[in-house]
Amino acid sequence: MADISTFEIIWLAVALLGAGAITGLLAGVFGVGGGTVIVPVLYELFQAVGVPEEVRMPLCVGTSLAIIIPTSIRSFNAHRAKGAVDMAILKQWAIPVIIGVAMGSVIARYAPADLFKAVFVVVAGISAIRLLFGKDSWRLGLDMPGKLVMNVYGWIIGVLSSLMGIGGGQLSNLFMTFYGRPIHQAVATSSGLGVLISIPGALGYIYAGWPRAAEYPDVAALQFPLSLGYVSLVGLILFVPTSVMTAPLGARLAHALSKRKLEVAFGIFLLLISLRFLYSLIG
């Protein structure tokens, strides 16, 4: 990082602050922790400062999970204040989600970089198709399934979210709307999952990245005090202030939009993210 000029450092800092504001806004609007914005931005940033491809993606994912901790908490509180969160679903998913996050963190310690990108492409792509082209008749049921199936869904949400660096909003929105739940309720409930996923996820990535940092002693961005394992403290410090401030604004905007407008906006957003990582994967 010594090769980066003062101007570049200032520019990157300003860019990260701006991205943090956008992240908080999206967290409120879509009920996501913002990982789908954070990860691509950090990927470009860490490439610019010379983080090797082998550890760049997990560093982005781990940092994203740490960043969305305060954003998810703020977004969840805003949605809960409006009475839109289904606490029964949230409580039922809590334990399987946390187990899935722990397993995902272990996978992250040994997985190749392309696995993280592939998960992004598949999950974001399926979610976008459902939101943009899906019909009300595309349902798996008229109400949420039984305890066993819900536990499996929770576990899947935990594993995939920890590999994507997201708060689980994309996946839980997908599952809930497939079972006839309104998009506004799905978004609000998803914001609560971000809290359950981000805290153990960030801790897991610190554990997963600690020995890997020792393998790259010349990469400053991976070393303490700039990072703890796969969590970049620089990214965390610069993203959090503005993202926390704009999350409530996003939540108010979400409740002002019609159901279809919210679905289309979320679908386009996810499609763009999917295409971006597909290009990176095959490029």
Side-chain angles (χ1 to χ4, degrees):
M1 295 186 63
D3 295 332
I4 303 177
S5 68
T6 301
F7 172 79
E8 288 174 319
I9 293 175
I10 294 174
W11 182 87
L12 288 172
V14 172
L16 285 169
L17 289 171
I22 296 172
T23 295
L25 186 66
L26 291 172
V29 171
F30 298 134
V32 298
T36 44
V37 176
I38 299 169
V39 171
V41 170
L42 290 180
Y43 186 83
E44 303 302 331
L45 170 64
F46 292 146
Q47 182 179 29
V49 299
V51 177
E53 175 71 23
E54 295 80 10
V55 293
R56 190 185 310 153
M57 196 64 183
L59 180 61
C60 295
V61 171
T63 304
S64 174
L65 289 168
I67 290 171
I68 65 179
I69 292 174
T71 305
S72 295
I73 293 173
R74 194 92 190 269
S75 178
F76 171 63
N77 287 335
H79 282 290
R80 186 173 59 174
K82 294 181 178 294
V85 178
D86 190 323
M87 292 301 297
I89 291 178
L90 202 57
K91 290 177 181 178
Q92 190 166 8
W93 267 340
I95 294 178
V97 162
I98 292 174
I99 292 173
V101 170
M103 294 180 66
S105 299
V106 174
I107 293 172
R109 183 166 184 170
Y110 305 101
D114 285 350
L115 174 65
F116 299 91
K117 297 177 184 177
V119 171
F120 245 96
V121 170
V122 172
V123 174
I126 292 175
S127 300
I129 292 172
R130 163 72 174 118
L131 290 167
L132 292 174
F133 306 109
K135 300 178 181 179
D136 289 339
S137 59
W138 290 16
R139 291 185 179 180
L140 297 175
L142 297 178
D143 200 1
M144 299 302 289
K147 184 176 180 180
L148 177 61
V149 176
M150 285 290 285
N151 286 341
V152 173
Y153 282 162
W155 176 78
I156 292 173
I157 290 171
V159 172
L160 295 182
S161 296
S162 67
L163 293 176
M164 293 176 69
I166 63 174
Q170 292 167 308
L171 297 162
S172 55
N173 283 340
L174 183 65
F175 286 137
M176 290 182 70
T177 54
F178 265 133
Y179 284 95
R181 291 302 178 95
I183 184 66
H184 288 86
Q185 185 185 69
V187 165
T189 305
S190 297
S191 66
L193 282 181
V195 181
L196 296 174
I197 291 170
S198 60
I199 296 175
L203 293 174
Y205 271 76
I206 291 175
Y207 161 77
W210 198 274
R212 294 287 279 168
E215 298 175 15
Y216 297 90
D218 296 330
V219 180
L222 275 174
Q223 309 304 319
F224 184 80
L226 299 184
S227 289
L228 280 175
Y230 280 144
V231 173
S232 170
L233 300 181
V234 175
L236 175 62
I237 291 170
L238 293 176
F239 257 84
V240 168
T242 50
S243 65
V244 169
M245 287 189 293
T246 55
L249 176 62
R252 288 195 294 271
L253 179 60
H255 289 278
L257 294 173
S258 68
K259 173 186 174 182
R260 186 56 191 158
K261 286 183 178 178
L262 188 59
E263 288 177 339
V264 170
F266 195 21
I268 292 174
F269 171 70
L270 293 178
L271 183 61
L272 292 175
I273 295 301
S274 180
L275 292 174
R276 184 260 177 272
F277 274 99
L278 179 61
Y279 175 78
S280 175
L281 191 61
I282 64 179

